[in-house]
Amino acid sequence: MSLEGAREAAREVLKAHGVTSAPVPVERIARKLGVRVQYAPLDNDLSGMAHIRDGVVIVGVNLLHAPNRQRFTLAHELGHVVLHRAILEDNVHVDRVLLRDRDSSAGLYREEIEANAFASELLMPTEFLDAILGGRQVVLDDDEEISTLAKKFRVSESAMRFRFFR
Ligand SMILES: [Zn+2]
């Protein structure tokens, strides 16, 4: 699976659920995919987890993190559900903040990079951003523009900024 393959999978999910504008209703998508989402207070260094028990996909999201961050966590876990179902069958897959938030991808497992690419495209679809920006380049140190876009897409500013690095 290439990163572009992961992004394409996210676009297919959006299409299948008729999502055409921001903010992307990630929780509704999760429910329609049959995922049971549980919000619980977890250790601060944990963002979320996913596993399959008796055929039911269960995703846990750290309730103590900011709401926009919880959306990214849920989207990341949905990436595992869509792309890496097999790794959720045997073990509880746990995502740690440190693994996810480092700018460098060094040391990240392939599956984590793919799940992040999926989540990024699911919450900040290329098509939606293009429609807003009309081909204009985003200036990454334009804090106001990043902030406006982050609010519109209901993601953190760091996730939005990171989105334009790729
Ligand atoms: Zn993960």
Side-chain angles (χ1 to χ4, degrees):
M1 162 88 46
S2 64
L3 288 188
E4 193 43 42
R7 292 183 193 116
E8 183 55 36
R11 289 192 283 270
E12 280 167 17
V13 167
L14 292 170
K15 198 183 289 177
H17 293 86
V19 180
T20 55
S21 64
V24 171
V26 62
E27 190 167 333
R28 182 162 63 83
I29 291 171
R31 275 204 309 273
K32 286 195 174 168
L33 289 172
V35 173
R36 191 176 297 167
V37 186
Q38 299 177 340
Y39 295 89
L42 305 174
D43 286 350
N44 194 45
D45 67 329
L46 299 180
S47 50
M49 53 184 68
H51 74 132
I52 298 175
R53 197 198 297 148
D54 301 329
V56 178
V57 183
I58 301 166
V59 165
V61 175
N62 193 344
L63 183 62
L64 302 181
H65 287 167
N68 284 346
R69 219 166 142 183
Q70 294 180 36
R71 281 167 53 78
F72 195 92
T73 296
L74 179 51
H76 174 102
E77 302 303 339
L78 290 184
H80 288 314
V81 172
V82 171
L83 304 171
H84 316 120
R85 211 178 163 92
I87 69 168
L88 309 180
E89 298 277 2
D90 301 326
N91 302 298
V92 177
H93 176 78
V94 177
D95 281 304
R96 292 181 183 279
V97 173
L98 275 179
L99 272 180
R100 210 182 69 185
D101 287 358
R102 286 285 173 258
D103 287 354
S104 162
S105 60
L108 272 183
Y109 292 109
R110 182 86 206 158
E111 288 84 1
E112 299 315 311
I113 301 170
E114 289 171 359
N116 281 342
F118 177 97
S120 183
E121 184 68 18
L122 190 77
L123 294 178
M124 298 165 276
T126 307
E127 198 186 334
F128 299 3
L129 281 166
D130 284 351
I132 291 169
L133 297 169
R136 193 167 48 81
Q137 289 286 332
V138 165
V139 180
L140 285 175
D141 54 11
D142 182 344
D143 291 343
E144 203 178 311
E145 170 144 68
I146 292 291
S147 168
T148 302
L149 287 171
K151 279 197 188 79
K152 182 165 181 56
F153 285 80
R154 292 188 57 207
V155 297
S156 70
E157 291 180 16
S158 63
M160 182 55 76
R161 199 169 270 115
F162 195 74
R163 168 70 177 71
F164 291 107
F165 268 123
R166 79 183 194 205

